[in-house]
Amino acid sequence: MTKQSGQREYFFDSIRAYLMLLGVPFHVSLIYSSQSWSVNSPHASEWLTLLNDFIHAFRMQVFFVISGYFSYMLFLRYSPQYWLKVRLERVGIPMLAAVPLLTLPQFFMLKAWTAKIGDWSQLTFYQKFNALSWDLISHLWFLLVLVMLTITGAWLFKKLRDGRQLTDYSELNWTRLTLAILLCSVIWGAIRRLLFIFEPQLLSNALFNFVVMQTLFFLPFFILGAMAWKYPAIKALLIKPVPWTFIGSALAFVAYIANQTWSKGEGWLYEIDAVVSMMMGLWMVNVVFSLGHRLLNSHSPRVTYLVNASLFIYLVHHPLTILYGIFLVPHIGSNTLGFFAGLVFVFGIAFMLYEIHLRIPLLRFLFSGKLPQK
């Protein structure tokens, strides 16, 4: 059995919560970015486009490292069967509950008040099914990926737990780790390129993208998190600040912007994006973990509140952001003012809804996957 840490690592909880809450400024800034989204302001903002791209380039990679870390920790605590049951309940129930309660109404909002869906009556059955898949999964995609990673982890974690510990990874350094993730990004890019050549229709299929491509993309980060729990040397490597990972993250972000600006979808946009995003995501793990370990590794009731609220806030913020974009954005002339007003609008209503749902046991269960304690 792997030795477990006796001290709670508050900085991991804090980072996970803040990464979830970053979904709000990410989607509000998306309205004002140059990216085409469900709703957009009449004129794009350069600084909000940069902010949006920066959040998008690293946030979920770091999140899945933490997810892998805690998932493996719980795997060692329970039997594999009970672990799988608990993890699927905690992830799957909020995902399934959010579809009828959040993303289905969101779909009808988009269909009625925006041009995103298009002429529904002219779509074929497959086009309707695929459009529904994109819009009903929507921002819940990371929960679906977590379900897939949990199912995969039931096998991979058993191999990791029972495998002979031939090395303690004390010789691992950032160069070797970077090369390992670089190889993963190249493999992912090669798979996508082969699909683009031989089965291009799969790349526009929502379920295939979420279940297969996104799962494959984030799998290395999920496994890295699990290995960081088992091997203290890997965890120490991720937490200790390394100046060149800070520099590398900045350079990777420049490369990310350049690729988004000059590459085309029919070219190598997505393959280059995979390489750059995986590199930036890995190096930002060090940036975020080292800063979090230094600044956030203490107990705080307010942070605990945010940790508990973060999933609910993330789930409800997306339709609130779309409502804000549809009805209020057209009446605010300044993009910067609109962005900050959007944060107040979305966060304000989301936290009010969170407090209401805490008082309704059924909603608490649906949005957490946890049975109410007697």
Side-chain angles (χ1 to χ4, degrees):
M1 182 70 69
T2 303
K3 184 179 180 180
Q4 300 185 24
S5 172
Q7 182 180 3
R8 186 168 184 86
E9 292 155 317
Y10 293 107
F11 74 102
F12 276 141
D13 287 327
S14 299
I15 291 170
R16 180 171 56 177
Y18 289 133
L19 289 173
M20 292 286 290
L21 295 174
L22 266 179
V24 178
F26 170 73
H27 285 111
V28 175
S29 65
L30 194 53
I31 296 174
Y32 297 100
S33 77
S34 59
Q35 305 286 342
S36 177
W37 195 50
S38 302
V39 286
N40 288 104
S41 64
H43 305 287
S45 165
E46 291 185 6
W47 85 268
L48 288 172
T49 298
L50 286 175
L51 174 66
N52 183 265
D53 286 339
F54 177 71
I55 296 172
H56 180 68
F58 79 92
R59 181 172 69 104
M60 296 311 297
Q61 296 90 310
V62 180
F63 174 86
F64 279 108
V65 172
I66 297 177
S67 180
Y69 183 87
F70 283 120
S71 293
Y72 187 69
M73 176 190 72
L74 294 174
F75 183 83
L76 298 180
R77 185 177 299 174
Y78 305 127
S79 69
Q81 295 78 14
Y82 184 71
W83 174 84
L84 185 61
K85 173 181 178 295
V86 169
R87 292 302 299 160
L88 289 179
E89 288 175 349
R90 298 285 174 85
V91 176
I93 291 174
M95 180 184 70
L96 294 175
V99 172
L101 295 176
L102 296 174
T103 58
L104 183 59
Q106 176 182 279
F107 170 79
F108 286 111
M109 285 163 37
L110 292 171
K111 185 173 180 291
W113 296 325
T114 75
K116 180 179 184 293
I117 306 300
D119 189 347
W120 183 257
S121 64
Q122 298 300 313
L123 300 181
T124 65
F125 175 81
Y126 172 77
Q127 289 172 329
K128 289 179 179 179
F129 175 80
N130 198 38
L132 274 172
S133 298
W134 282 110
D135 286 295
L136 294 188
I137 295 173
S138 185
H139 66 299
L140 310 178
W141 69 267
F142 87 98
L143 291 174
L144 179 56
V145 171
L146 274 177
V147 168
M148 299 307 301
L149 290 175
T150 298
I151 295 171
T152 306
W155 178 75
L156 291 176
F157 287 177
K158 186 175 185 298
K159 295 290 185 182
L160 183 62
R161 182 196 63 189
D162 298 340
R164 294 171 56 193
Q165 191 164 330
L166 301 177
T167 177
D168 59 4
Y169 287 92
S170 59
E171 299 300 319
L172 183 68
N173 55 42
W174 274 101
T175 299
R176 294 178 180 178
L177 186 55
T178 295
L179 289 175
I181 296 297
L182 176 62
L183 177 61
C184 292
S185 70
V186 171
I187 292 173
W188 188 93
I191 293 172
R192 189 195 181 279
R193 178 52 50 170
L194 289 172
L195 288 171
F196 180 76
I197 295 171
F198 297 107
E199 294 291 339
Q201 71 278 2
L202 280 177
L203 297 177
S204 61
N205 183 282
L207 291 177
F208 181 82
N209 268 274
F210 293 131
V211 172
V212 178
M213 299 305 290
Q214 291 285 67
T215 300
L216 289 176
F217 184 90
F218 291 109
L219 180 61
F221 297 95
F222 189 73
I223 297 302
L224 177 62
M227 294 181 69
W229 173 267
K230 180 169 184 177
Y231 300 104
I234 296 180
K235 179 181 173 183
L237 184 71
L238 299 181
I239 292 174
K240 181 180 178 181
V242 179
W244 77 259
T245 63
F246 285 68
I247 298 171
S249 297
L251 294 176
F253 183 57
V254 172
Y256 179 88
I257 295 299
N259 183 52
Q260 293 292 320
T261 302
W262 290 300
S263 295
K264 304 297 181 182
E266 62 272 13
W268 293 86
L269 170 65
Y270 298 102
E271 290 81 3
I272 296 173
D273 180 84
V275 173
V276 174
S277 296
M278 280 197 178
M279 292 295 95
M280 183 174 175
L282 174 65
W283 296 332
M284 283 297 292
V285 168
N286 183 242
V287 174
V288 173
F289 281 16
S290 60
L291 292 176
H293 186 259
R294 181 174 181 178
L295 302 174
L296 302 173
N297 200 23
S298 60
H299 174 67
S300 166
R302 279 179 286 186
V303 173
T304 300
Y305 177 83
L306 292 177
V307 169
N308 294 331
S310 59
L311 176 60
F312 181 89
I313 299 301
Y314 180 84
L315 292 177
V316 303
H317 90 277
H318 200 267
L320 291 174
T321 304
I322 291 175
L323 282 173
Y324 176 77
I326 293 172
F327 292 108
L328 296 180
V329 166
H331 303 289
I332 302 175
S334 167
N335 285 345
T336 298
L337 176 61
F339 170 71
F340 287 107
L343 294 182
V344 173
F345 176 88
V346 175
F347 272 126
I349 296 178
F351 277 109
M352 283 192 294
L353 292 174
Y354 175 69
E355 287 297 326
I356 292 171
H357 114 284
L358 288 178
R359 291 155 177 79
I360 304 174
L362 177 60
L363 289 180
R364 291 185 65 177
F365 168 68
L366 292 176
F367 283 102
S368 69
K370 302 177 185 177
L371 289 170
Q373 295 182 350
K374 297 181 180 179

